[in-house]
Amino acid sequence: MPVAKPAVAVGKEILYGSGKEYFWIASPGYRVLLDLFQGGSIGDLRPYAGHFSAFTGPDSPMREINTYPYLIQSQIRTGVKTHSADGSRTTLKLFHGAEEKDLCFYPTRIEAAERSGNCTTVRLAPVTVKFGDGFSVTLQTIYRFLEDGIIEVCRRILERNGSGGLDLQEYFKGCYGFTEYPEDMHEIMLAIGEKKVHYNYRGRALRSEEQQACVCELPPVNTRVILKAPDGGAQLAELEEGHLFSPFYTMKLTYRMEEGRKETVAWIQISALR
């Protein structure tokens, strides 16, 4: 296996016959798990770009823990019912009128996966989301795993039935840790443009209609995470600080899907702080 070539794998749960399907990719920038049972969301993310290192043993701060730190880890403590309210994970939220839908409730599968040059593309099967007033939208998610620690998430509308507005919101809820519990978050810095918040468990929020990127810097794991709209297509960027009983940070990009708009593109970019 060449050093810079990503390793990919598809896993299917067959022991209990649940039909759950997962996609893994590991590259020099990150290791990612796509959870197809929960809408193709990212259920595990390790920031290899940070080059985290630590020694272990009884005379070290790490003692018995020798796992690479995560930014997202939802497989132990988070189920569908608490998908975006508890634990760390990505998802897509859809807003129509006063109603909100979470893509995690719409299982999908891998329709196609291919490599071309230094890009790995995973296309998921379309899902149809219906709202209470009869409005429905069929959309497809396409992931492109690029170089330089970039994960591109494309949401493509294939069919739209009914009238009324539609907003799509890319949602990234993260922390960092080594076990199922997040570590101390005090050193984390959150920013949208010139607005900055140093994490202090106070539940504060930043928002901007001009900026196209949310930034989180995590010095303990030497990692910077950016959620941004590379084409400038987002209408709102939001960042939320968690609190003691929900020790996470949340990055959001909202796209207003006027009639005729068929696609959104967001980047999750993982890089080293130094």
Side-chain angles (χ1 to χ4, degrees):
M1 175 70 68
V3 171
K5 188 177 179 64
V8 301
V10 176
K12 295 184 179 181
E13 193 283 299
I14 59 175
L15 183 61
Y16 297 103
S18 69
K20 291 182 179 180
E21 189 171 330
Y22 300 93
F23 177 86
W24 289 94
I25 181 167
S27 75
Y30 46 68
R31 190 188 78 186
V32 175
L33 164 73
L34 299 183
D35 186 344
L36 286 305
F37 188 70
Q38 293 199 29
S41 58
I42 294 178
D44 191 283
L45 173 58
R46 312 283 165 154
Y48 290 167
H51 296 285
F52 179 85
S53 63
F55 70 97
T56 60
D59 58 344
S60 75
M62 299 295 290
R63 291 188 299 278
E64 72 283 356
I65 299 173
N66 190 25
T67 59
Y68 197 87
Y70 61 80
L71 302 182
I72 288 176
Q73 196 278 82
S74 66
Q75 296 300 296
I76 296 179
R77 297 183 63 83
T78 304
V80 173
K81 295 299 183 184
T82 55
H83 174 90
S84 59
D86 178 30
S88 55
R89 171 181 289 278
T90 69
T91 192
L92 178 76
K93 294 191 175 184
L94 300 90
F95 299 88
H96 170 71
E99 201 171 354
E100 172 187 328
K101 298 287 187 181
D102 189 330
L103 199 63
C104 82
F105 292 100
Y106 298 84
T108 182
R109 57 181 175 80
I110 297 173
E111 190 173 81
E114 60 185 18
R115 287 174 171 170
S116 177
N118 294 316
C119 174
T120 300
T121 301
V122 181
R123 188 170 69 248
L124 307 185
V127 298
T128 299
V129 179
K130 296 181 179 180
F131 291 83
D133 64 355
F135 180 88
S136 69
V137 59
T138 299
L139 59 85
Q140 184 173 46
T141 298
I142 301 168
Y143 283 95
R144 296 184 180 94
F145 298 95
L146 310 171
E147 291 187 306
D148 300 322
I150 295 173
I151 304 166
E152 181 179 282
V153 189
C154 174
R155 311 289 187 178
R156 188 171 293 166
I157 294 179
L158 305 181
E159 188 176 353
R160 180 171 173 163
N161 295 304
S163 60
L166 175 68
D167 289 350
L168 301 184
Q169 184 183 85
E170 290 294 342
Y171 183 99
F172 182 112
K173 191 170 187 177
C175 58
Y176 84 96
F178 303 90
T179 68
E180 65 267 38
Y181 297 99
E183 296 291 311
D184 188 291
M185 306 274 278
H186 278 103
E187 293 184 57
I188 291 176
M189 190 275 291
L190 308 174
I192 295 180
E194 297 300 316
K195 302 176 182 178
K196 295 183 179 181
V197 165
H198 290 276
Y199 205 102
N200 200 27
Y201 297 88
R202 293 170 58 188
R204 293 167 292 178
L206 304 174
R207 54 185 286 139
S208 173
E209 295 181 355
E210 291 79 35
Q211 298 295 324
Q212 296 286 316
C214 302
V215 180
C216 177
E217 294 186 351
L218 302 100
V221 291
N222 191 35
T223 299
R224 178 184 294 108
V225 187
I226 301 175
L227 175 66
K228 69 179 181 179
D231 58 358
Q235 275 65 53
L236 180 64
E238 298 175 274
L239 247 174
E240 295 179 1
E241 172 193 38
H243 51 79
L244 183 61
F245 301 102
S246 182
F248 305 96
Y249 62 90
T250 305
M251 303 187 289
K252 306 174 187 178
L253 290 177
T254 301
Y255 301 80
R256 200 149 294 126
M257 306 303 291
E258 296 90 353
E259 288 288 347
R261 186 174 185 182
K262 300 292 187 181
E263 188 173 284
T264 68
V265 178
W267 278 9
I268 300 170
Q269 190 163 4
I270 313 296
S271 61
L273 274 179
R274 55 186 182 274

